[in-house]
Amino acid sequence: MRVSRLGSDGTRAGRPSARDADDVRAETPATAARADESHTARRRDPLAIAARLSPLLGLAVSIGLVWWGLDSGVLRSLANLQAFIDSLGAWGPIVFLIVSAAAVVFPIVPGGLLVIAGPVLFGAIEGTVYNYIAVCAGSLLNFLIARHVGLALIERIFPARLVDKYLGWTRSPHFTRAFAIAIVLPVAPDDLLCYLAGTTRMRWGTYVAIILLGKPWALVAYGLGISTVLLQLVPW
């Protein structure tokens, strides 16, 4: 004879009771409704909309600048471009620093393009120094913003799937080491990681040391390296 085990409420052990099933059926629509409301709210959020549209706006502005540069002759040769930058005086580096730092904090234009543009516009050494100042300033600001605002802002700026993918890194006891490697070797979206680092218990001094000591390697390898190759390959 097979004896059925009963739970404390008189139902078969391991099987949900009718009341549990009713609860599941009652909770499922509510959970789905909340998820839909959250998704709808994100779609209507002005900051989230701006984050989605800003790359397109940056692309449109970039195309407009290229068209103007070709029409005016500034972009017809590297000598013309550098002469134009020199004619701006101190405003050239100032504008570049502001735009580059802002691109780290908010995705106005792809930051990688500006990192490559630095050595082309200002020369290898000066352009790399400007890249370093701008990227470090933006990265430090990302940490401070996240520390005071929290994860809610990050989820509004970056795609939810991307945030969920790298949020697991912050739960690892080795996050600080992984973060340092990601800063030295640009193998992950370091702008997002800088924001996420601000939501962890990482100390400010540790974060500053990683940024200041780790960024030069990536900037030299990526910005200076690629710009040098492009100038060699592209007749300008």
Side-chain angles (χ1 to χ4, degrees):
M1 177 184 299
R2 184 175 62 183
V3 179
S4 299
R5 294 185 297 171
L6 299 181
S8 59
D9 59 352
T11 58
R12 291 178 181 268
R15 295 185 182 181
S17 63
R19 183 179 61 186
D20 295 335
D22 290 339
D23 291 341
V24 171
R25 286 193 295 269
E27 292 173 2
T28 300
T31 303
R34 286 195 296 269
D36 291 340
E37 291 176 0
S38 177
H39 181 67
T40 302
R42 177 177 173 80
R43 292 179 60 184
R44 296 178 179 177
D45 181 21
L47 184 58
I49 294 174
R52 290 196 300 268
L53 296 181
S54 58
L56 297 178
L57 178 60
L59 178 61
V61 172
S62 299
I63 293 175
L65 290 176
V66 170
W67 178 84
W68 171 83
L70 293 174
D71 183 67
S72 63
V74 172
L75 292 180
R76 292 182 181 176
S77 69
L78 181 59
N80 289 354
L81 176 59
Q82 292 178 340
F84 173 75
I85 296 297
D86 292 339
S87 69
L88 297 177
W91 284 108
I94 290 174
V95 172
F96 179 80
L97 288 172
I98 293 175
V99 173
S100 297
V104 176
V105 178
F106 195 80
I108 304 172
V109 293
L113 294 180
L114 294 173
V115 170
I116 297 174
V120 175
L121 296 175
F122 303 101
I125 297 178
E126 190 175 354
T128 302
V129 171
Y130 290 153
N131 279 337
Y132 178 71
I133 295 174
V135 171
C136 287
S139 299
L140 298 180
L141 188 57
N142 286 358
F143 184 91
L144 292 176
I145 292 174
R147 174 117 325 165
H148 289 86
V149 179
L151 190 60
L153 177 65
I154 301 173
E155 293 175 335
R156 295 169 64 189
I157 298 178
F158 296 93
R161 292 183 179 179
L162 189 63
V163 175
D164 292 340
K165 178 179 180 180
Y166 291 100
L167 190 59
W169 286 29
T170 63
R171 302 188 183 98
S172 171
H174 306 294
F175 172 70
T176 300
R177 183 185 304 172
F179 176 75
I181 295 174
I183 293 300
V184 175
L185 304 175
V187 294
D190 52 352
D191 296 345
L192 172 59
L193 290 179
C194 289
Y195 272 112
L196 292 177
T199 66
T200 68
R201 296 182 179 180
M202 184 183 297
R203 295 181 178 180
W204 169 250
T206 301
Y207 179 83
V208 172
I210 292 175
I211 294 298
L212 296 183
L213 298 177
K215 281 296 183 181
W217 307 101
L219 293 175
V220 170
Y222 182 79
L224 183 58
I226 294 181
S227 64
T228 301
V229 172
L230 287 177
L231 292 176
Q232 293 293 331
L233 296 179
V234 178
W236 201 12

